[in-house]
Each structure stands twice: as structure tokens, then as C-alpha cells.
Amino acid sequence: MSNKGRVVIISGPSGSGKTTLHKRLLDSPRLKGILVKSVSATTRARRPGEKHGRDYLFLTPAVFKYKIRRGHFLEWQKVFGNHYGTPKRQVLTLLNKGAHVLLCIDVKGAAAVRKEFPGALNIFIKTPSMKALRDRLTKRASETREALAARLRVARAELKEAVHYDHVVVNGRLDHAVRRLERIVLNEH
Ligand code: 5GP
């Protein structure tokens, strides 16, 4: 695929803080007009404050399945019981406009996008330690003990995938991680 813009993938285990970093990058004045968001589709329930079309396209499982069959997604995955997918047409349209398109997706989804876009910029986010990851996951009120154990198990496996990425950013101090990510994207621009 030849496009003007570039796909920028942010990935990492659940609890790495990648969603927060992704939001900070999209709000960054230094990246305004350079980096745009890909809005994913999901079957999970909307959380308070989330908006359809801005945070996600919130779809029913039936509609999501229909879109899978129609080849609507660049990649899709089941992540902790819900389906998530990257709409293909949206990404291609943005790339053709010359934008760098930011995807914040799980590790398996990232591997699938890398196959389709070998020129993608791949950034892996991780916490300074497993203890920091456990602490972050524990703070999430929605996690049961079983869910926490499952996420830690998955995270251990996902950390091994970091070798396939162009950059690994340790998310210790949030501001430092944001600056580092801004520099990475600007250097590639
Ligand atoms: P959350 O439900 O907390 O917003 O996201 C849960 C997980 O799904 C996160 O790891 C997030 O990065 C991932 N995710 C969000 N959108 C997509 C997508 O389009 N594709 C894939 N593979 N993962 C996604």
C-alpha cells in the first residue's frame, strides 16, 4: 500500500497507560495537524463521558460481526471479552490526506497492522516494573481478582513482544513519556 501519511501504532499491555498517553499525544499542540486519531469500533459498553464517534464507534455484536464479514476492519481482536476493530476505510482516507494516523490497539492487533503496513511506526508502552503494572491494574475499580490475574498473565506474554517494535517507551513519569513520544513522532515526520 502506498500512502502519503504513516500509521503510528501505540500498543502495550493493559495497564501500561497507553490510552492516557494516546490522549495526551492527540491533545499535544506540538503534534497538531500532524497526528490524527483513528476511531476504533467496539462491542463493549460505553463508559461515562464516552461519546459515540469520538471515543469509539459503539456497535452491537451483530453489527460488529456483519462488518467483519464485509471486510470492514483492517484488524479486529477480542480483548478481555469484547470485540475491537480498526475501520479500514477511515485509516486509508486519513493516510491519503497525508496525515499520520495514530492507532492505540492491543498487542495482537498491532502485529496484524504491522503485516499490512510494514512501514508503520511501532511504539510499545510499558510500566517501569511488573509491580507498577500490578499496582495500576489493582487501582482500576472494575477489576475482580480473577480479571486482575488474567490481565497480569496476558501482560507477561505481551511484554515479550516488545522486541518487534521500533521504540519502547517506559511510562514512569507521564510528562516524560509524553515528551519522549512527541520527539519520536516529530523525528519521523
Ligand atoms: P478499552 O476498553 O479500555 O478502551 O480498551 C481495551 C483494549 O482494547 C486496549 O488495550 C485498547 O488499546 C484495545 N483496543 C482499542 N481499540 C482497538 C482496536 O481497534 N483494535 C485492537 N486490536 N485493540 C483495540
Side-chain angles (χ1 to χ4, degrees), residues 12-107:
S14 162
S16 61
K18 64 181 185 292
T19 309
T20 306
L21 287 169
H22 161 253
K23 287 201 179 106
R24 288 284 297 263
L25 282 188
L26 291 166
D27 288 342
S28 162
R30 298 176 72 198
L31 299 177
K32 210 173 154 82
I34 294 176
L35 197 63
V36 297
K37 174 184 175 146
S38 157
V39 180
S40 290
T42 183
T43 59
R44 84 148 159 75
R46 200 183 307 194
R47 294 181 187 137
E50 284 184 332
K51 228 171 126 178
H52 179 80
R54 182 193 64 190
D55 299 293
Y56 281 104
L57 301 169
F58 294 97
L59 306 180
T60 62
V63 172
F64 198 98
K65 276 185 194 141
Y66 170 80
K67 286 180 183 284
I68 292 173
R69 281 200 306 273
R70 298 298 301 261
H72 184 96
F73 297 119
L74 189 57
E75 61 75 35
W76 63 270
Q77 296 293 328
K78 198 167 178 189
V79 185
F80 299 113
N82 294 300
H83 284 90
Y84 294 83
T86 308
K88 193 187 288 179
R89 197 191 305 158
Q90 178 198 213
V91 171
L92 294 177
T93 304
L94 292 168
L95 287 175
N96 282 321
K97 284 185 182 160
H100 292 336
V101 184
L102 185 61
L103 311 184
C104 182
I105 60 180
D106 88 307
V107 170

Side-chain angles (χ1 to χ4, degrees), residues 121-135:
L121 174 62
N122 292 279
I123 308 169
F124 190 91
I125 309 293
K126 64 183 213 179
T127 51
S129 63
M130 274 312 276
K131 184 182 177 305
L133 183 69
R134 175 189 285 273
D135 289 348

